[in-house]
Amino acid sequence: MSRAQRIVAASVLLVIAALGLLAAAMQTTTTYYLPPVDDDSFATEHVVAFEPGVVGAVIGAVAVLALLAHLVVVIRRAAPRIQWVIAVALTVATVVGAVVVSFADRPTG
């Protein structure tokens, strides 16, 4: 694989992981409403941290940083095959984490 192809491949992996991080990071909080206590009051709004979203964002951030380091290595020299396998695994883990977070149950009160 040529140097340009390696750089493009590493960049694509980094962009995919960054999108997975963005998807998980957008779901770090959740808002829910509790019903009024009596007839004269209003529903109360509650904003809480959504723990699966926080975990997914942390996993995505670590993966993005590792893939950024991988891109720097690829720009400087040819990376070993195992490093490419790990880079692909990190990208897959970030995307799977974002999907799991998006399907996780939200608190209702």
Side-chain angles (χ1 to χ4, degrees):
M1 187 178 339
S2 72
R3 182 174 186 256
Q5 290 174 331
R6 290 191 310 260
I7 292 172
V8 167
S11 298
V12 166
L13 291 176
L14 179 62
V15 167
I16 292 170
L19 291 173
L21 169 62
L22 180 65
M26 289 179 8
Q27 301 179 46
T28 56
T29 61
T30 187
T31 304
Y32 63 94
Y33 298 90
L34 291 179
V37 179
D38 55 10
D39 292 336
D40 296 334
S41 62
F42 297 101
T44 56
E45 177 183 48
H46 296 272
V47 179
V48 294
F50 182 54
E51 287 85 8
V54 173
V55 171
V58 169
I59 290 171
V62 170
V64 166
L65 287 175
L67 288 169
L68 188 60
H70 173 68
L71 178 61
V72 170
V73 168
V74 167
I75 288 172
R76 297 185 69 187
R77 62 180 169 79
R81 189 174 308 268
I82 188 70
Q83 190 171 347
W84 283 101
V85 171
I86 292 170
V88 170
L90 285 172
T91 304
V92 169
T94 303
V95 171
V96 167
V99 169
V100 167
V101 167
S102 68
F103 285 115
D105 290 333
R106 304 292 195 265
T108 57

